[in-house]
Every structure is written in C-alpha cells, then in structure tokens.
Amino acid sequence: MNLNIKILLITVLFSTSCDTGKLTPLADTPSGLKEISAIEKTTTSNTLWVIEDAGNSNHLYGLDTKVKISKDLEIENVQNVDWEDLTSDSFGNIYIGDFGNNNKKRENFAIYKVTNPDKANSTAKAEVISFKLPKKMKSEDFESFFLHNDSFYIFSKKNKDVKLFKVPNTIGDHVAEFISEMKLEGKNTKVTSADISDDGETVVLLNHTRLWKLTNFESDDFFTGNTEAIDFEHNSQKEGVNLINESTVLITDEKTKHEGGKLYTFNIE
C-alpha cells in the first residue's frame, strides 16, 4: 500500500471524512487471507481484527494501518467450525461468532471470547458462550452479530426474512431469545455481517450488493424503526462490516479469481 492510502486509512479511523455514497477501495487485504468473513476495530487500539470462515484455521488476525498482518493468534482450545463474524466490548476483548450453518442441521452454536488479544503473543485461549435456539424453532444459518448493552444480537441469514435473536454475554450455555422478524425488499437479501454505532442509535446490516441502515428503533427491537437500503452498485462477496464512527463503515470482501480481497470504506450518511 502506498503512503497516500496509508494516510487515508488513518484518516478514516480517526475522522468522519469520506465521500458520501461511494464504496471506496482502500487496500488489498493480505494475500494469504482469501476468505475473510469479518472485520472489527476495538475502541482500545488501531488494530483491525479479521477471521476466516469454515474450512480455514482457528486463527484471529490483527492488521495494522498498512493492512498487513501484525498479529497472528491461534485460538488453541476451540475449532473453527464456521467462524462468521466479530464484535468487541469497551475493554478491547474480541468475540468470535462460530454460528455458520449452511446445511441448517446445526443445533449448538458458540461465541468465543478472546481477552485482550492485543496483549497476546502467538496463542490465546477463548472462553465459550454457547446457545441453542428456542424449542420448536427450525435451525437457522447465522453470519452476523454485535454486542450491545452486554447482550449479543444475532441475525439470521435467509432470503427475504431475517430473524433477530438475543443471547446474554455470560460464559456458559443459553437458549437464545427470539425478538422479531423483518422482511427485506429486493433480491439478494441474505445478511452477511452487522454492527451497531457506539451510541446505540444506528444498526447496519451487510449484503453483497447493499447495506441496510436501521434507525429510530424502539429498545432492542431493531426492526421497529426506519429501514434504509443503500446500494453499492458493486457486486462481490462482502462478508465483514464495522461501523467505525457515526457515518463511516469499513467493509471487506472475499477474494475470487477476478475480484474482491479488498478493504473498503463507505459513508452511510
């Protein structure tokens, strides 16, 4: 990455400066990470944390402002069944959502807490928060979640209808609470990543071709307010979104033969 792109990324991380409505490539993601499924920046450092999904190793990677791997942590006590999204808390702890379920046969899902990954060397152990769906509910595929008011909010990945579940941020076994369901308009409506603003006023849901911005909702039923669909006019396998300030998101997509494998910025104002 050249110096101008590095400066642009640093500017994005610390300001709201961005061209409204444009999906802007900032840099290529590391060539060895072809299936990045999430991106998360904590409030305690400038590191961009990423993971890969099913079929890849149980490693958590930290990227520096050059978008190079600066930290490679093996999470040694858990497996990567299907890692799909990342979130974090105000203390800099990272949470890995192991809840991908393409064949809809999975009954047990997990969230792994990695404490202070910035301070770890090459390995780390995770604490496990596990959950099942309520009785009589069919198995769902999940690729997106975030942490808000010490609970995880998890969104199903399904065409047209998206379900919202809630799981407490407490180590141990849980039954997820079903909150509500919303129908998304248009084609290709599967949600692949999600995030919430620091003030809790804005939720973003990611898809390959668009982003949904949810605002003016009641309590933690994020589907009760306004829903705005914002098209990218760009089609790639976008898997990771992170709201780094009230108007700007970072987005990653997976690498294919002819496209993807990039870090983008996008203005949602």
Side-chain angles (χ1 to χ4, degrees):
M1 179 169 51
N2 64 39
L3 180 60
N4 289 335
I5 293 178
K6 180 183 178 182
I7 293 172
L8 177 59
L9 178 55
I10 294 173
T11 301
V12 167
L13 293 177
F14 287 99
S15 73
T16 60
S17 175
C18 183
D19 293 333
T20 301
K22 291 184 179 180
L23 184 69
T24 305
L26 288 182
D28 292 331
T29 50
S31 59
L33 305 180
K34 298 185 182 300
E35 295 184 313
I36 290 178
S37 60
I39 184 169
E40 179 73 9
K41 179 187 176 296
T42 69
T43 59
T44 59
S45 81
N46 296 326
T47 302
L48 302 177
W49 295 101
V50 298
I51 51 173
E52 294 186 287
D53 55 17
N56 293 286
S57 64
N58 52 321
H59 284 233
L60 175 65
Y61 302 95
L63 309 183
D64 60 21
T65 54
K66 297 180 181 180
V67 197
K68 303 297 183 183
I69 297 175
S70 59
K71 184 84 72 170
D72 180 351
L73 296 181
E74 179 185 5
I75 313 303
E76 57 185 1
N77 63 318
V78 296
Q79 293 182 332
N80 183 346
V81 177
D82 197 353
W83 294 5
E84 290 290 356
D85 209 359
L86 293 172
T87 189
S88 61
D89 60 27
S90 59
F91 302 102
N93 303 315
I94 287 284
Y95 299 83
I96 302 169
D98 189 350
F99 39 49
N101 186 26
N102 289 327
N103 60 17
K104 303 291 182 67
K105 294 182 179 180
R106 192 171 180 178
E107 295 183 358
N108 297 292
F109 306 91
I111 296 167
Y112 303 131
K113 178 181 180 180
V114 182
T115 302
N116 293 322
D118 277 300
K119 297 180 180 179
N121 292 319
S122 60
T123 63
K125 290 187 177 180
E127 297 177 277
V128 181
I129 300 156
S130 63
F131 68 94
K132 295 182 177 181
L133 298 186
K135 289 183 179 180
K136 298 184 179 179
M137 289 199 75
K138 293 182 179 179
S139 185
E140 296 281 351
D141 187 17
F142 301 103
E143 287 198 6
S144 53
F145 81 143
F146 54 72
L147 180 63
H148 177 60
N149 289 339
D150 215 27
S151 290
F152 300 103
Y153 293 89
I154 305 163
F155 300 83
S156 66
K157 180 188 178 185
K158 185 178 180 182
N159 260 332
K160 301 297 182 183
D161 298 321
V162 54
K163 294 182 174 67
L164 173 62
F165 295 87
K166 180 178 181 179
V167 173
N169 182 12
T170 306
I171 305 303
D173 302 327
H174 305 277
V175 176
E177 174 189 351
F178 172 68
I179 296 180
S180 64
E181 183 174 0
M182 180 174 67
K183 182 177 181 180
L184 296 173
E185 301 296 332
K187 297 181 179 179
N188 302 320
T189 58
K190 294 181 179 181
V191 177
T192 60
S193 187
D195 204 4
I196 191 169
S197 59
D198 289 342
D199 63 8
E201 298 292 328
T202 302
V203 167
V204 291
L205 306 178
L206 181 68
N207 175 260
H208 297 340
T209 60
R210 67 179 62 85
L211 176 147
W212 292 277
K213 179 182 176 182
L214 312 182
T215 55
N216 299 318
F217 37 78
E218 299 175 6
S219 186
D220 62 354
D221 188 348
F222 307 115
F223 298 153
T224 58
N226 300 330
T227 301
E228 178 186 2
I230 308 173
D231 291 334
F232 297 132
E233 298 182 359
H234 178 278
N235 187 8
S236 65
Q237 193 168 336
K238 299 174 184 69
E239 297 280 349
V241 68
N242 185 204
L243 245 170
I244 56 172
N245 56 51
E246 65 271 14
S247 62
T248 309
V249 297
L250 294 176
I251 292 171
T252 58
D253 57 7
E254 292 193 4
K255 176 69 176 177
T256 63
K257 291 182 179 179
H258 305 293
E259 63 184 6
K262 295 184 181 298
L263 172 68
Y264 307 86
T265 187
F266 187 72
N267 195 304
I268 62 172
E269 290 287 310

